[in-house]
Amino acid sequence: MTRILVQLHTAFAIGPADPRVFGGFLEHLGRAVYGGIYDPDSPRADAHGFRSDVLEALRGLDMTAMRYPGGNFASGYHWEDGIGPRERRPRRLDKAWNSWESNAVGTDEFMAFCRKADTEPFLVVNDGSGTPEEAARWVSYCNDGPESGMGRLRARHGYPEPYGVRLWGVGNEVLGQ
């Protein structure tokens, strides 16, 4: 076995670390979303279905940003499937994890989660099966006022104020597309 020695010299600094490195990511994998942050059937769920115990634990981590959707899920996620009335949202096969996605948690729910968790949203556009136009519509949905088409759509869904999302990523590793 090769041994490696790492020495840290705390007296030497190149510069300050951007606090956003202390963030996390949320992927529709396993119980991270359904049964994790969101479980409306749990006795610990708040009025919106978010687990209050999970939110409390996450707030204790002081995470500065939360990337969504994280991981491989991003490469096949079409954000428009996750807006509007839940009963009208399509159920889709997520090819990255070969599992069914209900889209019960989407953009508006994630934004509510970020407010409750006291973390900044970091949205990742789909560069696997998505298009630049789809990405542009998502930016518009999140950040435009109600005078734009996407802003009006967000307002019709019950969220009149722009979310003001400042952090955007383009894709993740593309798997299973």
Side-chain angles (χ1 to χ4, degrees):
M1 175 187 301
T2 303
R3 294 182 62 129
I4 298 173
L5 175 65
V6 176
Q7 292 182 332
L8 301 176
H9 297 281
T10 58
F12 301 102
I14 296 171
D18 187 315
R20 292 177 292 191
V21 302
F22 303 107
F25 80 99
L26 184 61
E27 182 171 7
H28 289 246
L29 173 64
R31 292 188 51 205
V33 175
Y34 305 115
I37 66 160
Y38 181 79
D39 186 356
D41 295 329
S42 169
R44 295 184 172 137
D46 67 13
H48 299 102
F50 292 109
R51 294 271 307 265
S52 57
D53 56 331
V54 174
L55 283 165
E56 183 180 336
L58 288 172
R59 281 191 293 267
L61 295 175
D62 293 326
M63 292 194 321
T64 55
M66 180 68 73
R67 184 169 59 106
Y68 176 84
N72 289 325
F73 185 82
S75 64
Y77 179 65
H78 297 283
W79 72 272
E80 288 162 313
D81 289 345
I83 59 172
R86 281 194 178 107
E87 64 275 5
R88 292 188 184 160
R89 296 180 187 181
R91 190 171 180 254
R92 303 262 190 227
L93 177 64
D94 171 41
K95 293 179 182 177
W97 298 116
N98 195 33
S99 61
W100 287 96
E101 170 56 42
S102 70
N103 286 300
V105 172
T107 301
D108 301 314
E109 292 81 14
F110 177 70
M111 299 308 291
F113 163 77
C114 285
R115 282 192 302 276
K116 291 172 181 269
D118 194 26
T119 189
E120 184 171 6
F122 178 169
L123 295 176
V124 179
V125 300
N126 173 350
D127 73 337
S129 60
T131 66
E133 294 80 11
E134 179 183 12
R137 287 192 306 273
W138 201 10
V139 172
S140 180
Y141 182 88
C142 290
N143 293 338
D144 285 357
E147 66 282 351
S148 80
M150 291 279 91
R152 273 192 302 281
L153 179 61
R154 184 192 61 248
R156 278 199 315 268
H157 293 153
Y159 306 94
E161 296 301 315
Y163 293 128
V165 177
R166 300 180 308 157
L167 302 174
W168 292 89
V170 178
N172 197 58
E173 65 269 19
V174 179
L175 178 67
Q177 299 306 311

